[in-house]
Amino acid sequence: MHPFQLINCHDGAALYTYTRFPTIAPLKKVSMDWHLLPIEDAFHRLNSSQAGISPEEVRRRLEQHGRNQLREKRARPPWIMFLAQFGDFMILVLIAAAVIAGIIGDAGDMAPILAIVILNAIIGFVQEYRAERAIAALKRMAGFNAEVIRGGETQSVAVEEIVPGDVVLLKAGDVVPADLRLSEAYQLKMDEASLTGESFPVEKDTAVLGEASLALGERANMAYKGAVVSSGRGTGLAVATGMETELGKIASMIQAEGDIRTPLQRKLAAFGRRLALLIILVCGVIFAMGYLHGEAPLLMFMTAISLAVAVIPEALPAVVTIALALGAAKMVRQKALIRRLSAVETLGAVTHICTDKTGTLTRNRMTATELFVDGEMISAASVAPAGEVVHDSARFYLLAAAALCNDARMNGDNGLSGDPTETALFVLAMEHGFDPVRLAAEFPRLAELPFDTQRKCMTTIHKNPGGVAGYTKGGLETVLARSSAMLAGSAVVPLDAASFHRANEAMAASGQRVLAVAMGRWASLPADLSSEAVERDLIFIGLVGMEDPPREEAFDAVAQCRTAGIVPVMITGDHPATAAAIARRLAILEGEGEVMTGPRLEELPLEELEKRVEDIRVYARVAPEQKLKIVQALKDRGKYVAMTGDGVNDAPALKRADIGVAMGITGTDVAKEAAAMILLDDNFATIVKAVREGRRIYANILKFITYSISANFGTLVLITLAPFLGLPLPLLPIQILWLNLLCDSLPGLALAVEPVERGAMDRPPIDPASGVFAEGRGWFMVRYGLFIGILAIALQIYAMYVGHSWQTMVFTFLIFSRMAMALAVRSRHQSLLQLGIFSNRQLVAAIVIVAVLHICVVWIPAMQPIFVTQPLDAKEMGLVLALSVAVLLVSELEKTIMRADRKSML
């Protein structure tokens, strides 16, 4: 016999073909659009049938193709996670400096540096490990079962054991376990929102389709892994499992995306490289100048090394980590779980939030919003309750139809179950006193004509006090064609189809899904219950408009984003009219702004999209790979992009974005795994709090850098200029190390918890292109470093001239001037009194501790030989304190002038 001929390859699920020999040969994987094949051919291709495959064949295929599950990246073991904390450039420089200090000096010189390095590593490890454990706890267990037919018998098997060729049974509430070519479909509808973004359930059938390039949401004869059966039942042939499914392809796309460094990581890396060059230059200059000045080579080498260590803000990695860790802990309390620690600060730089519509900006719950009845459009909320509705009026029958022509059911404490359209009608009836459960008992259903795709309507027939009444709901054209009159008040009048067409167009234009309702009356139950007999000469009642409404908190959240200079962008797979309507209500889209559709986006080259991407606020009917294109275009324009979403279709863009934000309740496991942050309450407003926290943390890290570099630069100026002026070395190596350790640790950590400044959300995001020295910070560091250095040199000259303990005075001045700088950098504009001295109590405590520790070094006799200090008298200490306070006063005067200039410009 000859093997089957392999068919042409297309994009789609994997096709498995057999060679027809006495023993079945291994399956070969090719690509296939299964929706193009008749179901008989599909069974033939997979050597299966309606009776399924045998248990022996299942084992063979399971061994060949693997389990029906998505591959995950292997988790890093804890020891690797811990060692990774030492991979940062700044950390490596510090370790090298500590080793050199230990070799040249003694072990005591390197102990403080190594202590800070290890502390930083422990903090980073603990936070990352806890975050990984938290996300593991959030992930839903995938070990559920599915009903299959094997060897002609129905059995329940683990989803992971389904193989290509299995016949899978589906019923309402099931999660589709694999990609299926449907062989049977009875009133089958599926919720594919997590895969396609479509808000409404999709009707399914078994008919062969003729277009190869149909989007996933339009392949009515296919059921894809991860979709949920919302109503009906069906049977399907498993054509792809595991990573070969459409869900698996998306997972592959996510895994292809590498980890992306955050803005702060990039800036600190650049900062570290510049600092390393400066260190090399400083070491060489200081060593050469001291040697030429006659100092001992060993002393100068130790001084140069010590100064190099002092120039490096070794507390910076710890401050960054602790600031991010504390911010992450605070954000968890605000219902935002951080999966990657460094993602906290990324929020402060976000310029665009690309968000899905369904379930993110909207409730993911259909709601009746408008009714067209008695010739007028009314809000569903304004309809009078049952006791006030005129009996036998159009409004009465519209609500009765919503209650009776309905298969939704109360599901205990878990709310409603059923088709979203019917649950919306159920709620509409309940809210106006038409209890569907009570009415169903009072007017029992005698017969029904279920909805099908050919008729596009549904009819139920009920016992009535005056005989029998039937209620029909469906599409406008379908119901109008079956109606010959309409209700106006309580009167039956000739049908005015034009008015309903106008109302339908208006409701559809606002993004609503429109359902028409009609009724029929009989003296008794018709003998002929066919559609042709029952669904004719109906009395048209009215229209019900439904939508998936925006979350209430989304309005304020979007408004705050805009105030903060963040551009919200809606990216959805839904209809353009629906997307535009929701976007306008939320003020994401203004006026006649452009809504770009997926087909148009597909045709647009990336270069052309980059030119227009900053002006587009809404994208509709887009595919997952197109979301990546949008995010990439924004990033190519220098923007920092956050992507929020909950569906599988969001996951690749979540990974590509600078920060991905997934929903913790409705979010899929794939989306959570791809995201850097998870909103535990699925509340879009939580992201605004996260942005605020991110801006605070980012600003505080920059404050510490400004403080540390300004003070360190002052020390650098002092030690560099002293030899040029013929002065002895102002500080000894041990004093430099003490100065560095004492002042960069506690005050730096205290600055990390500085409260958020007023107006933090009233200014634009941090410029993604700016560096550590941007926005005047570099000039601030230079001028205050020069100021502190010149004051220190002047103090040294004066103290040497009058015979004071000059080295201890200079040493002490550098300590206290740094405390003045810590207070000065708390705000660039607000004075210390406006901020409140005790508004950051941690910083006040840190300053007190630093002062006490240094006083011990100066005045305790046992400490004086170690740090080469002498006790200062009241006059000497007074002069030191006066010069230190002068640093703070100059800063306060500068802020006063800046505020006055800003007021004069208004």
Side-chain angles (χ1 to χ4, degrees), residues 70-81:
L70 303 183
R71 290 193 300 270
E72 296 183 359
K73 290 183 178 179
R74 186 177 179 181
R76 291 188 303 171
W79 66 273
I80 291 290
M81 193 181 299

Side-chain angles (χ1 to χ4, degrees), residues 179-421:
D179 284 0
L180 309 177
R181 170 62 169 91
L182 294 174
S183 58
E184 297 178 357
Y186 300 98
Q187 314 302 321
L188 185 62
K189 291 185 181 181
M190 291 193 182
D191 180 359
E192 296 178 337
S194 64
L195 193 64
T196 66
E198 174 61 56
S199 300
F200 303 102
V202 179
E203 299 171 17
K204 294 295 183 178
D205 56 43
T206 62
V208 177
L209 300 173
E211 186 177 343
S213 60
L214 286 176
L216 295 182
E218 297 174 354
R219 299 180 183 181
N221 60 9
M222 297 292 297
Y224 292 104
K225 182 178 176 66
V228 179
V229 180
S230 57
S231 63
R233 59 184 178 85
T235 306
L237 172 67
V239 296
T241 59
M243 296 301 291
E244 297 298 330
T245 62
E246 294 296 330
L247 183 63
K249 292 176 184 178
I250 294 176
S252 297
M253 293 164 63
I254 298 168
Q255 292 173 4
E257 293 294 326
D259 290 330
I260 300 173
R261 293 193 302 172
T262 67
L264 188 61
Q265 287 175 321
R266 292 193 284 265
K267 290 174 186 176
L268 288 181
F271 173 65
R273 288 191 294 269
R274 294 175 194 162
L275 197 57
L277 295 176
L278 178 62
I279 290 171
I280 294 173
L281 178 63
V282 168
C283 287
V285 170
I286 295 297
F287 180 82
M289 290 302 301
Y291 180 75
L292 294 175
H293 193 257
E295 299 285 357
L298 180 59
L299 175 63
M300 287 312 305
F301 183 76
M302 273 298 298
T303 301
I305 290 295
S306 299
L307 184 61
V309 173
V311 172
I312 300 175
E314 66 263 15
L316 178 58
V319 169
V320 171
T321 303
I322 291 174
L324 296 178
L326 294 176
K330 183 176 180 180
M331 291 170 72
V332 168
R333 294 193 295 271
Q334 297 175 346
K335 304 301 182 182
L337 173 69
I338 300 300
R339 290 196 65 237
R340 289 187 284 277
L341 191 59
S342 57
V344 177
E345 51 83 18
T346 312
L347 289 163
V350 163
T351 61
H352 287 67
I353 297 179
C354 297
T355 174
D356 189 23
K357 176 185 70 68
T358 306
T360 307
L361 291 170
T362 64
R363 302 175 186 175
N364 199 19
R365 185 175 69 246
M366 293 300 298
T367 303
T369 52
E370 282 189 323
L371 307 179
F372 183 74
V373 63
D374 283 335
E376 63 176 328
M377 193 78 71
I378 58 175
S379 168
S382 66
V383 178
E388 300 176 19
V389 176
V390 178
H391 190 71
D392 287 341
S393 67
R395 297 188 185 188
F396 177 89
Y397 284 115
L398 186 66
L399 293 172
L404 293 171
C405 189
N406 198 322
D407 287 330
R409 293 289 179 267
M410 293 296 294
N411 191 18
D413 295 332
N414 298 322
L416 292 172
S417 63
D419 183 274
T421 299

Side-chain angles (χ1 to χ4, degrees), residues 52-121:
I53 54 180
S54 67
E56 294 76 15
E57 184 61 24
V58 169
R59 286 191 291 271
R60 185 182 299 115
R61 297 187 188 190
L62 189 61
E63 181 179 349
Q64 180 180 351
H65 302 291
R67 298 174 68 81
N68 178 31
Q69 57 190 16
L70 303 183
R71 290 193 300 270
E72 296 183 359
K73 290 183 178 179
R74 186 177 179 181
R76 291 188 303 171
W79 66 273
I80 291 290
M81 193 181 299
F82 179 74
L83 291 180
Q85 308 300 320
F86 298 94
D88 185 80
F89 175 78
M90 295 283 287
I91 295 293
L92 295 175
V93 171
L94 288 173
I95 293 174
V99 171
I100 294 174
I103 294 174
I104 300 298
D106 57 55
D109 292 333
M110 69 176 181
I113 306 172
L114 292 179
I116 290 180
V117 169
I118 294 173
L119 176 63
N120 170 75

